[in-house]
């Protein structure tokens, strides 16, 4: 089976998983963690401080920060999910690289848990995701690890593509509304930007497999 065929298989299976109640929830949490962690890291990089990192049982979340670039912090969430997904997918080229990447994610999520989390629900969700990653790292063999890394990346990337669409709800809240207030560009502009970015990353990953066939 070619790499391209495997990629299409990952995508089809990811679509199926996303519609199965509870089964896809851990990956929704993972995408949300990537989203909020992107906000948090951007706040730190631009000279701000992270006040609170919060996750909800329904898969939503938020980060409260003080200082830093409001524009970069607001735009980084959905963009960050696509970037994290791309990195995780590329890490799946080799077992060792995939394991190192999973290990780094475990370490990063643990730092987030101890530094910025101040409510029980967020702590439980983060701990569960960390536990799942540890289980994958310890129990998965070399061949399965590469496939699993790429499949998880596709699941996260699909979340990056569809999640911005939830902002089109007429409530004018969230990252898109914040960017609209900062730039005076309509919220839909930012929604389209994030969706197109996710689709572009998906296409790039598919095209990058040509060299490996």
């Amino acid at each position: 089976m070619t790499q391209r065929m495997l990629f299409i298989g990952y995508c089809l299976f990811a679509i199926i998983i996303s519609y199965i109640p509870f089964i896809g929830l851990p990956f929704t949490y993972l995408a949300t963690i990537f989203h909020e962690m992107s906000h948090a890291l951007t706040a730190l990089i631009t000279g701000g401080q992270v006040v609170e990192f919060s996750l909800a049982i329904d898969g939503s979340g938020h980060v409260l920060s003080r200082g830093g670039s409001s524009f970069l912090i607001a735009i980084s969430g959905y963009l960050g999910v696509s970037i994290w997904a791309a990195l995780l997918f590329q890490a799946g080229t080799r077992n060792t690289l995939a394991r190192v990447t999973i290990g780094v994610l475990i370490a990063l999520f643990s730092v987030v848990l101890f530094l910025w989390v101040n409510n029980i629900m967020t702590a439980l969700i983060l701990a569960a995701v960390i536990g799942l990653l540890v289980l994958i790292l310890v129990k998965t063999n070399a061949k399965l690890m590469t496939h699993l890394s790429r499949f998880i990346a596709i699941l996260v990337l699909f979340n990056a593509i569809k999640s911005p669409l939830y902002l089109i709800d007429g409530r004018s809240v969230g990252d898109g509304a914040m960017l609209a207030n900062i730039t005076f560009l309509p919220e839909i502009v930012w929604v389209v930007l994030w969706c197109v970015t996710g689709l572009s990353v998906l296409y790039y990953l598919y095209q990058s497999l040509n060299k490996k066939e």
Side-chain angles (χ1 to χ4, degrees):
M1 183 179 293
T2 66
Q3 293 294 317
R4 278 189 162 189
M5 290 178 65
L6 279 172
F7 185 90
I8 294 172
Y10 297 147
C11 291
L12 293 176
F13 194 35
I15 292 172
I16 294 172
I17 289 292
S18 65
Y19 285 99
I20 300 177
F22 302 111
I23 300 298
L25 191 57
F27 305 106
T28 299
Y29 289 145
L30 180 59
T32 302
I33 293 169
F34 282 142
H35 179 111
E36 304 305 340
M37 194 163 65
S38 297
H39 282 316
L41 292 176
T42 303
L44 294 177
I45 291 171
T46 58
Q49 295 179 326
V50 177
V51 178
E52 181 183 59
F53 186 104
S54 182
L55 303 170
I57 191 67
D58 63 357
S60 63
H62 71 266
V63 160
L64 296 179
S65 59
R66 183 184 299 115
S69 170
S70 297
F71 172 77
L72 292 179
I73 293 170
I75 201 174
S76 65
Y78 290 107
L79 290 181
V81 179
S82 294
I83 294 171
W84 284 108
L87 292 174
L88 185 57
F89 186 89
Q90 296 294 4
T93 56
R94 294 193 302 275
N95 170 58
T96 301
L97 185 56
R99 289 185 181 280
V100 169
T101 302
I102 296 295
V104 169
L105 292 180
I106 291 170
L108 283 174
F109 294 174
S110 298
V111 169
V112 170
L113 177 60
F114 286 108
L115 290 185
W116 298 327
V117 173
N118 54 20
N119 68 77
I120 297 298
M121 182 56 66
T122 302
L124 290 175
I125 293 172
L126 260 175
V129 172
I130 291 170
L132 178 61
L133 292 178
V134 170
L135 187 64
I136 290 172
L137 191 62
V138 173
K139 296 296 185 179
T140 306
N141 61 39
K143 186 175 182 179
L144 183 58
M145 174 61 77
T146 56
H147 290 299
L148 196 55
S149 176
R150 291 189 162 194
F151 175 64
I152 292 173
I154 294 298
L155 276 168
V156 170
L157 187 54
F158 275 18
N159 186 282
I161 294 168
K162 69 179 183 180
S163 289
L165 298 175
Y166 296 134
L167 297 177
I168 309 174
D169 56 7
R171 295 191 303 156
S172 296
V173 296
D175 297 343
M178 184 180 298
L179 287 167
N181 290 332
I182 294 172
T183 65
F184 302 105
L185 292 175
E187 185 177 29
I188 188 64
V189 171
W190 304 105
V191 170
V192 170
L193 172 65
W194 289 320
C195 290
V196 169
T197 298
L199 288 169
S200 298
V201 170
L202 186 68
Y203 178 74
Y204 167 78
L205 293 177
Y206 177 76
Q207 288 295 106
S208 71
L209 297 174
N210 282 338
K211 300 177 182 179
K212 300 179 179 64
E213 289 187 357

